[in-house]
């Protein structure tokens, strides 16, 4: 088993998965080729057939992405068949659990940025942790934003329930609800501070953080632009379809 043989073994795995999902979708090779063309990258039926049969030993990254979209599956599922193979050769001569290989491929957390995390030295782990990879930071950013929205909704719900109670007969319950609402509001602002910290970390790495929903603007110092109005959207659509004015003759 040589390192030179590994690309061919990897390609055979990918070919098996392309065929598997094509058949699951009930598509012929020609239909898959047509769908790839619709997505903007024509791939001839003969190319797909030759790849599935092993006569074509490679698949480019661009082809992998388009074929995966045409089959409506994640690209990683064509490389690392979770559920169909217990272990895969993620690197030459290195077989690991297929799901762990997928996590490594997607960079899902610091312990999954090495195909053999259990063998990685602390130096290797540190190199992976400090790599300027945006996915980890953005993933954490999105988690915090979802938590912030959840805290905000829970606080609003308690305030609404308190407002519906009788001030005289339910004063104790009303006070308890408002107390919980105050605690959730405090948690919301603390979470917003965490979001601001991670947005600063993203910018410090030379990247641009994701946009924030306009309804969260009260919790942040930075300016959050409101979404375009219906009239503005229509105006933009009209502008994009207007024909260019004829050029004046010299």
């Amino acid at each position: 088993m040589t390192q030179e043989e590994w690309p061919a073994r990897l390609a055979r795995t990918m070919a098996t998965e392309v065929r598997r999902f094509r058949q699951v979708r009930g598509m012929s090779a020609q239909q898959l080729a047509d769908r790839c063309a619709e997505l903007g990258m024509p791939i001839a039926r003969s190319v797909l057939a030759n790849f599935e049969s092993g006569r074509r030993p490679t698949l480019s990254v661009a082809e992998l992405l388009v074929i995966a979209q045409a089959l409506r599956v994640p690209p990683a599922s064509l490389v690392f068949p979770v559920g169909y193979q217990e272990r895969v050769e993620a690197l030459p001569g290195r077989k690991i659990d297929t799901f762990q290989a997928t996590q490594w491929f997607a960079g899902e957390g610091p312990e999954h940025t090495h195909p053999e995390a259990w063998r990685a030295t602390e130096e290797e782990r540190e190199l992976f942790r400090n790599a300027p990879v945006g996915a980890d930071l953005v993933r954490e950013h999105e988690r915090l934003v979802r938590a912030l929205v959840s805290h905000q909704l829970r606080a609003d719900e308690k305030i609404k329930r308190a407002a519906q109670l009788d001030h005289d007969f339910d004063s104790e319950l009303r006070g308890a609800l408002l107390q919980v609402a105050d605690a959730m509001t405090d948690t919301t602002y603390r979470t917003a501070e965490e979001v601001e910290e991670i947005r600063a970390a993203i910018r410090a790495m030379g990247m641009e953080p994701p946009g924030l929903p306009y309804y969260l603007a009260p919790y942040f110092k930075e300016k959050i632009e409101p979404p375009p109005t219906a009239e503005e959207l229509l105006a933009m659509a009209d502008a994009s379809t207007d024909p260019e004015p004829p050029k004046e003759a010299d």
Side-chain angles (χ1 to χ4, degrees), residues 31-77:
Q31 288 173 322
L32 179 55
D34 293 342
R35 179 58 184 150
C36 290
E38 291 173 4
L39 291 170
M41 184 175 179
I43 302 177
R45 186 206 65 79
S46 59
V47 170
L48 294 169
N50 287 338
F51 179 68
E52 287 188 14
S53 67
R55 291 189 296 271
R56 186 177 192 250
T58 60
L59 197 67
S60 71
V61 173
E63 290 170 332
L64 170 68
L65 296 177
V66 171
I67 290 172
Q69 179 60 22
L71 294 171
R72 298 295 195 275
V73 297
S77 66

Side-chain angles (χ1 to χ4, degrees), residues 9-189:
R9 292 193 295 273
L10 182 62
R12 284 198 297 273
T13 297
M14 294 165 62
T16 298
E17 297 314 304
V18 169
R19 184 188 306 111
R20 183 198 312 280
F21 287 110
R22 179 176 62 76
Q23 292 174 347
V24 166
R25 297 304 185 204
M27 300 173 73
S28 66
Q30 184 59 58
Q31 288 173 322
L32 179 55
D34 293 342
R35 179 58 184 150
C36 290
E38 291 173 4
L39 291 170
M41 184 175 179
I43 302 177
R45 186 206 65 79
S46 59
V47 170
L48 294 169
N50 287 338
F51 179 68
E52 287 188 14
S53 67
R55 291 189 296 271
R56 186 177 192 250
T58 60
L59 197 67
S60 71
V61 173
E63 290 170 332
L64 170 68
L65 296 177
V66 171
I67 290 172
Q69 179 60 22
L71 294 171
R72 298 295 195 275
V73 297
S77 66
L78 299 181
V79 184
F80 301 128
V82 176
Y84 297 104
Q85 282 186 224
E86 184 178 353
R87 294 171 66 80
V88 291
E89 192 177 3
L91 291 174
R94 300 183 182 183
K95 285 195 172 185
I96 64 170
D97 177 84
T98 308
F99 183 58
Q100 289 181 354
T102 303
Q103 291 177 306
W104 166 63
F105 190 83
E108 295 181 351
E111 294 306 312
H112 301 130
T113 51
H114 190 288
E116 294 178 303
W118 60 278
R119 287 187 181 179
T121 65
E122 187 54 39
E123 181 181 2
E124 288 178 308
R125 292 173 186 270
E126 191 64 24
L127 284 171
F128 277 110
R129 279 194 289 262
N130 294 334
V133 177
D136 289 342
L137 288 171
V138 171
R139 189 181 291 114
E140 179 63 10
H141 180 280
E142 294 305 294
R143 185 191 70 80
L144 288 170
V145 169
R146 287 195 298 271
L148 189 156
V149 172
S150 175
H151 299 324
Q152 179 194 45
L153 291 175
R154 290 172 65 186
D156 291 345
E157 188 266 337
K158 302 300 181 189
I159 292 172
K160 288 178 182 178
R161 283 186 60 190
Q164 294 169 353
L165 297 175
D166 189 290
H167 285 241
D168 296 325
F169 294 100
D170 298 307
S171 59
E172 186 174 341
L173 177 57
R174 184 173 179 276
L177 287 171
L178 291 176
Q179 188 175 3
V180 172
D182 287 342
M184 295 308 305
T185 299
D186 290 342
T187 302
T188 302
Y189 278 101

